[in-house]
Amino acid sequence: MGNSERRIVITGGPGAGKSTLVAALARRGAAVMPEAGRAIIQAQGAIGGDALPWADRRLFAELMLSWDLRSYRDGAAGNRLTFYDRGIPDSIGYLELNGMPVPKHFEGAARMCRYGRRVFVAPPWAEIFTHDAERSQSFDEAVATHDAICAVYRRLGYELIPLPRGTVDSRVAMVLAGIGNWLRRSDGH
């Protein structure tokens, strides 16, 4: 398994259980890289910054890209398996969803920094969707975000693996089983 195949993205729209799944994987000892958007919103709020989706969307996207580039560099060090709560293509989906042009350096980053070709996607799930300090989108906006992000990953040649709507443990089991199967096939077993 090449180094890019050890970079596993978990993506989808807001409120679909991605971060909960990534946190559960971390509790089981997995290497994880947290989501950029939530951390940026928290930091910008704390310092009174404008790089927020409701203030300066372009600057927010640039900070997300910067964060994701750092996460890409730091993750999978030493060829370890690493789970990413979103990846670089998510920033492209964010820009496209908001009707903003995608700068060439975003596309360049997505081509240069490749993740495993299989990407786990948390589908929109109304029953668990909630608002909080960093998530102000409606459920319809969450569905649109999911669709935009999935379109970008497909366009970039990734295979999307939908996560089941079920318990966190069932999602963890599916992810780990899938990873184990991919590792065995790539190792010739």
Side-chain angles (χ1 to χ4, degrees):
M1 180 177 264
N3 194 31
S4 67
E5 288 300 315
R6 294 191 178 275
R7 299 173 189 271
I8 308 300
V9 173
I10 298 172
T11 193
K18 298 174 312 306
S19 297
T20 300
L21 172 57
V22 171
L25 289 163
R27 284 191 301 277
R28 288 167 174 77
V32 301
M33 290 291 153
E35 176 186 3
R38 182 173 290 271
I40 291 166
I41 291 169
Q42 290 169 349
Q44 289 292 300
I47 66 171
D50 289 331
L52 297 162
W54 50 85
D56 187 336
R57 288 180 175 171
R58 167 90 38 222
L59 184 55
F60 179 67
E62 289 288 352
L63 287 184
M64 283 194 302
L65 177 62
S66 179
W67 176 290
D68 287 336
L69 286 168
R70 188 193 74 218
S71 291
Y72 186 88
R73 183 197 68 218
D74 293 348
N79 211 26
R80 69 182 176 177
L81 185 67
T82 304
F83 294 94
Y84 294 78
D85 188 342
R86 300 194 179 278
I88 292 167
D90 287 73
S91 295
I92 296 171
Y94 171 79
L95 289 167
E96 290 179 355
L97 176 68
N98 286 289
M100 300 169 73
V102 177
K104 289 181 182 180
H105 63 281
F106 278 73
E107 295 284 350
R111 283 191 303 277
M112 182 180 75
C113 301
R114 298 293 296 181
Y115 301 92
R117 70 180 177 85
R118 293 177 182 100
V119 171
F120 290 101
V121 179
W125 190 358
E127 291 77 16
I128 67 168
F129 182 84
T130 60
H131 292 97
D132 61 26
E134 293 86 33
R135 182 184 304 126
S136 61
Q137 300 99 329
S138 69
F139 182 69
D140 288 343
E141 290 170 316
V143 172
T145 301
H146 167 272
D147 294 348
I149 290 167
C150 288
V152 172
Y153 277 97
R154 280 189 202 98
R155 187 172 71 236
L156 292 169
Y158 291 97
E159 176 186 346
L160 302 181
I161 310 295
L163 291 166
R165 288 185 178 102
T167 65
V168 175
D169 288 339
S170 69
R171 284 178 155 194
V172 167
M174 179 198 171
V175 167
L176 294 177
I179 298 302
N181 290 335
W182 302 337
L183 286 171
R184 280 191 293 281
R185 277 195 292 255
S186 69
D187 290 339
H189 296 87

